[in-house]
């Protein structure tokens, strides 16, 4: 292990502050913008600090092959993908096992929000591109995709707000970045439909006691509320300015 | 791309109604209570060519886990650690919904759940699998083979993995100091350094009902599944929600209680296989 890594491992939290200056329950600066692409039916650019994710939605549209359609609802097709330049070392653009798994859990985090019954025999395509990765990319991807779905005018039960909670140096922290994910003890990404009080994604990589797990859920919910407010603000900003024209 | 499954086995609406009616009386279609796990049968050493193997029947679900140990090079950033590689194959003989070809998203997800449940808690002491620091280490391959699918593949795989790991033997490796070569001694075989007994427990949510160790019928009507991995010291070593539905916090509370009890049930059912010979 290099000197730099040993250094990083020793003190992710010092004097109650994280290495980027945040307190344990602080979220990174959020910047959300919808309708950032011309061609897609809906799109969003989402930033949590240096994590930058673009999402686009096409559809509801013809699924192409009939075998890909369902008679009573739309199918969701979802791809989570990292751009080759998004990571410190170049990432091969071929889909990794991680990206295949995350495409599935991200789709399953969005399925309960979309009112798919309104569009039988169609497909709704959700494309998520991680442009710059600094931790929490799947949760940022979910946040972005749900904004893009809303921007596409697809009826939803609620927005889906993603946030990751971690444990570093024995402390639960909100919205972990890559360094904290790498050298911390746990990473627990979550997604919520906040107005309905529903959890649509939960994963844990690492170890937590049961007590820590319940605290992490509460902390995640708190963070998701902030993400949710920023999502609604981004939609309001876009559509309020349309009205003024 | 991950696509909403279109090939889910058709569960007649009547059966769904029957499952829900029974659940409202805390009963299940196969006679179990919501907190009951199915019967477990384990055969060890079923694959003589593997370093360790276990054939697990969890109810009618059948999984074989095979362990192969090979000498390889360490990763640059972990020169003093062996490697753990988990792979799962959903072979087409196991289910009408499995197709030939490279692992699909379900198989990849399963392998990654098992991998994560073991890795961060250091269930296997990879530092003890170094032969020549920075140059030669043991690669431990865990290959999970699903051969009959009647639900809860994750827990069946987790049980098979633990049983196979604990029964595996790898040849003792030493280094010829003059030539710097690795010498294997097949007469003296060592155990794989397992530090903690980790098992997953899967709970299915069907409307507002929660049941452990779901059968395939139950999985098919379930909104979502929650898998929680525990180590013997009570730590949670991994979690995965899968499926298209949601959980409320109350559901998580109930699922956690069910899962903690089911972990004990699994461990007591397989305890005779967890003793090292």
């Amino acid at each position: 292990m290099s000197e730099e890594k040993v250094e990083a491992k020793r003190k992710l939290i010092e004097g109650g502050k994280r290495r980027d200056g945040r307190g344990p329950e602080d979220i990174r600066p959020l910047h959300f913008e919808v309708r950032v692409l011309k061609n897609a039916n809906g799109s969003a650019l989402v930033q949590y600090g240096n994590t930058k994710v673009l999402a686009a939605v096409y559809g509801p549209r013809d699924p192409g092959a009939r075998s890909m359609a369902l008679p009573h609802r739309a199918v969701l097709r979802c791809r989570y993908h990292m751009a080759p330049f998004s990571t410190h070392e170049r990432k091969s653009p071929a889909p990794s096992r991680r990206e295949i798994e995350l495409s599935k859990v991200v789709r399953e985090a969005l399925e309960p929000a979309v009112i798919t019954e309104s569009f039988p025999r169609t497909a709704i395509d959700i494309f998520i591109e991680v442009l710059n990765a600094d931790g929490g990319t799947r949760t940022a991807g979910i946040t972005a995709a749900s904004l893009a779905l809303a921007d596409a005018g697809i009826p939803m039960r609620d927005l889906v707000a993603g946030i990751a909670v971690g444990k570093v140096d024995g402390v639960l922290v909100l919205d972990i970045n890559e360094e904290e994910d790498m050298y911390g003890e746990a990473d627990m990404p979550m997604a919520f439909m906040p107005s309905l009080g529903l959890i649509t994604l939960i994963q844990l990589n690492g170890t937590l006691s049961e007590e820590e797990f319940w605290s992490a859920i509460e902390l995640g919910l708190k963070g998701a509320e902030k993400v949710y407010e920023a999502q609604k603000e981004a939609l309001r900003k876009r559509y309020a300015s349309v009205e003024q024209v | 791309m991950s696509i909403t499954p279109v090939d889910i086995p058709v569960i007649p609406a009547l059966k769904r109604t029957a499952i829900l009616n029974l659940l409202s009386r805390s009963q299940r279609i196969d006679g179990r209570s919501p907190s009951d796990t199915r019967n477990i049968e384990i055969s060890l050493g079923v694959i003589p060519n593997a370093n360790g193997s276990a054939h697990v029947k969890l109810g009618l679900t059948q999984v074989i886990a095979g362990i192969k140990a090979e000498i390889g090079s360490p990763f640059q950033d972990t020169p003093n650690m062996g490697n753990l590689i988990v792979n799962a194959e959903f072979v087409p003989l196991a289910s009408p919904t499995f197709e030939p070809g490279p692992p699909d998203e379900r198989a990849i997800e399963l392998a990654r759940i098992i991998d994560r449940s073991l890795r961060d808690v250091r269930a296997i002491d990879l530092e003890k699998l170094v032969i020549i620091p920075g140059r030669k280490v043991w690669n431990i391959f865990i290959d999970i083979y699903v051969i009959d699918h009647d639900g809860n593949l994750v827990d069946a795989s987790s049980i098979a993995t633990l049983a196979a790991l604990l029964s595996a033997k790898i040849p003792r490796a030493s280094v010829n100091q003059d030539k710097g070569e690795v010498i294997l001694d097949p007469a003296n075989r060592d155990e794989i350094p397992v530090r903690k007994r980790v098992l997953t427990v899967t709970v299915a949510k069907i409307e507002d009902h929660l049941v452990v160790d779901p059968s395939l019928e139950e999985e098919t009507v379930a909104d979502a599944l929650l898998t929680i991995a525990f180590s013997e010291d009570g730590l949670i070593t991994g979690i995965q929600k899968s499926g298209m539905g949601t959980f409320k916090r109350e559901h998580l509370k109930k699922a956690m209680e069910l899962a903690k009890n089911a972990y004990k049930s699994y461990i007591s059912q397989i305890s005779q296989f967890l003793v090292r010979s």
Side-chain angles (χ1 to χ4, degrees):
Chain A
M1 202 177 277
S2 70
E3 296 264 320
E4 193 187 339
K5 281 182 186 172
V6 174
E7 180 73 10
K9 201 167 190 173
R10 212 164 41 221
K11 39 180 187 179
L12 285 167
I13 297 192
E14 229 179 352
K17 291 276 178 220
R18 294 151 79 176
R19 280 168 64 105
D20 59 8
R22 285 186 288 161
E25 305 201 354
D26 291 342
I27 216 161
R28 290 174 286 185
L30 302 175
H31 293 287
F32 299 170
E33 198 183 338
V34 297
R35 189 147 293 186
V36 292
L37 304 174
K38 175 185 81 82
N39 281 326
N41 296 107
S43 56
L45 179 65
V46 152
Q47 293 185 56
Y48 293 52
N50 284 330
T51 285
K52 204 180 219 190
V53 180
L54 186 60
V57 167
Y58 284 83
R61 64 181 176 181
D62 186 339
R66 186 188 294 228
S67 61
M68 284 234 231
L70 282 169
H72 61 289
R73 52 162 287 179
V75 296
L76 298 192
R77 299 190 293 205
C78 176
R79 186 174 94 138
Y80 163 98
H81 185 248
M82 296 182 96
F85 46 71
S86 66
T87 47
H88 290 290
E89 273 181 41
R90 179 177 183 271
K91 192 215 149 279
S92 155
S96 62
R97 285 165 67 88
R98 176 179 174 276
E99 287 169 300
I100 291 170
E101 183 202 344
L102 294 197
S103 294
K104 177 177 187 282
V105 297
V106 167
R107 175 179 59 74
E108 290 174 340
L110 297 166
E111 294 263 11
V114 181
I115 303 178
T116 52
E117 306 88 280
S118 301
F119 307 101
R121 297 178 201 283
T122 66
I124 299 169
D125 290 323
I126 301 161
F127 301 115
I128 295 167
E129 292 292 337
V130 176
L131 300 179
N132 196 72
D134 187 20
T137 58
R138 87 196 65 180
T139 44
I142 290 166
T143 299
S146 95
L147 279 173
L149 284 161
D151 182 41
I154 292 170
M156 290 160 81
R157 295 178 176 85
D158 198 356
L159 291 167
V160 187
I163 192 80
V165 169
K167 182 182 168 193
V168 297
D169 293 353
V171 181
L172 291 177
V173 297
L174 191 58
D175 185 28
I176 58 170
N177 61 28
E178 184 175 271
E179 188 184 31
E180 293 170 332
D181 182 10
M182 243 170 123
Y183 303 108
E185 294 101 81
D187 168 27
M188 189 162 103
M190 285 174 269
F192 300 86
M193 291 198 272
S195 292
L196 302 173
L198 296 173
I199 299 164
T200 74
L201 172 129
I202 179 161
Q203 294 180 284
L204 167 66
N205 187 15
T207 55
L208 292 177
S209 70
E210 194 190 332
E211 199 187 336
E212 288 167 339
F213 169 71
W214 295 118
S215 305
I217 298 260
E218 294 311 312
L219 187 54
L221 200 51
K222 245 195 238 175
E225 289 290 346
K226 288 188 183 140
V227 172
Y228 191 48
E229 287 311 311
Q231 283 177 303
K232 288 190 286 189
E233 186 51 40
L235 288 168
R236 221 176 275 130
K237 201 172 149 196
R238 166 58 66 193
Y239 290 102
S241 64
V242 170
E243 265 172 45
Q244 284 164 7
V245 172
Chain B
M1 278 233 279
S2 175
I3 304 169
T4 308
V6 293
D7 60 349
I8 319 168
V10 180
I11 284 264
L14 274 176
K15 189 157 255 176
R16 185 186 161 82
T17 312
I19 289 173
L20 281 166
N21 282 342
L22 283 167
L23 280 173
S24 66
R25 284 176 276 145
S26 290
Q27 291 169 1
R28 292 163 78 174
I29 199 151
D30 56 9
R32 286 186 285 163
S33 83
S35 58
D36 285 344
T37 58
R38 288 174 289 184
N39 188 45
I40 302 171
E41 284 175 45
I42 302 184
S43 314
L44 296 178
V46 291
I47 311 295
N49 284 344
N51 294 87
S53 59
H55 177 188
V56 166
K57 290 186 189 169
L58 176 61
L60 296 176
T61 286
Q62 296 189 57
V63 169
I64 297 172
I67 313 278
K68 293 291 256 182
E70 289 180 357
I71 294 173
S73 308
F75 287 112
Q76 264 187 354
D77 52 346
T78 54
N80 295 314
M81 280 166 85
N83 296 311
L84 170 69
I85 302 106
V86 185
N87 179 54
E89 299 283 338
F90 287 14
V91 287
L93 62 74
S95 159
T97 68
F98 296 171
E99 282 176 22
D104 68 5
E105 63 179 27
R106 295 171 295 181
I108 289 173
E109 181 185 34
L110 182 144
R112 290 175 57 86
I113 292 170
I114 302 295
D115 182 301
R116 287 196 292 262
S117 75
L118 303 171
R119 192 174 293 278
D120 266 34
V121 74
R122 300 202 300 123
I124 300 172
D125 194 346
L126 296 176
E127 286 167 17
K128 291 207 172 122
L129 293 169
V130 178
I131 303 165
I132 305 172
R135 289 197 30 227
K136 295 285 180 203
V137 299
W138 283 108
N139 289 331
I140 305 294
F141 291 89
I142 301 173
D143 282 286
I144 294 162
Y145 233 61
V146 175
I147 56 174
D148 211 358
H149 179 9
D150 191 34
N152 201 4
L153 298 179
V154 176
D155 295 1
S157 302
S158 170
I159 293 164
T161 296
L162 182 61
L165 278 172
L166 286 170
S167 63
K169 295 276 193 296
I170 53 178
R172 189 165 297 169
S174 54
V175 185
N176 177 325
Q177 295 298 347
D178 297 336
K179 295 181 184 162
E181 283 172 351
V182 177
I183 305 159
L184 292 182
D185 177 4
N188 281 305
R189 305 204 305 157
D190 293 322
E191 291 168 339
I192 291 177
V194 178
R195 291 176 62 242
K196 291 190 176 179
R197 288 164 190 187
V198 171
L199 283 181
T200 65
V201 179
T202 298
V203 179
K205 175 181 164 273
I206 306 172
E207 295 198 346
D208 278 322
H209 308 287
L210 292 154
V211 297
V212 292
D213 181 22
S215 66
L216 182 59
E217 278 179 345
E218 289 171 331
E219 276 185 8
T220 310
V221 300
D223 315 319
L225 305 178
L226 190 72
T227 296
I228 309 173
F230 298 97
S231 66
E232 61 206 51
D233 44 13
L235 285 174
I236 301 168
T237 69
I239 294 179
Q240 182 94 341
K241 174 244 167 190
S242 68
M244 300 193 279
T246 59
F247 284 90
K248 289 182 182 160
R249 272 182 289 178
E250 306 90 89
H251 297 137
L252 290 186
K253 289 245 150 65
K254 233 166 128 184
M256 182 62 76
E257 288 313 308
L258 284 169
K260 282 193 290 186
N261 287 324
Y263 174 80
K264 288 180 201 144
S265 157
Y266 284 157
I267 287 280
S268 75
Q269 276 200 72
I270 66 172
S271 58
Q272 65 193 102
F273 300 99
L274 304 183
V275 185
R276 290 187 132 161
S277 50

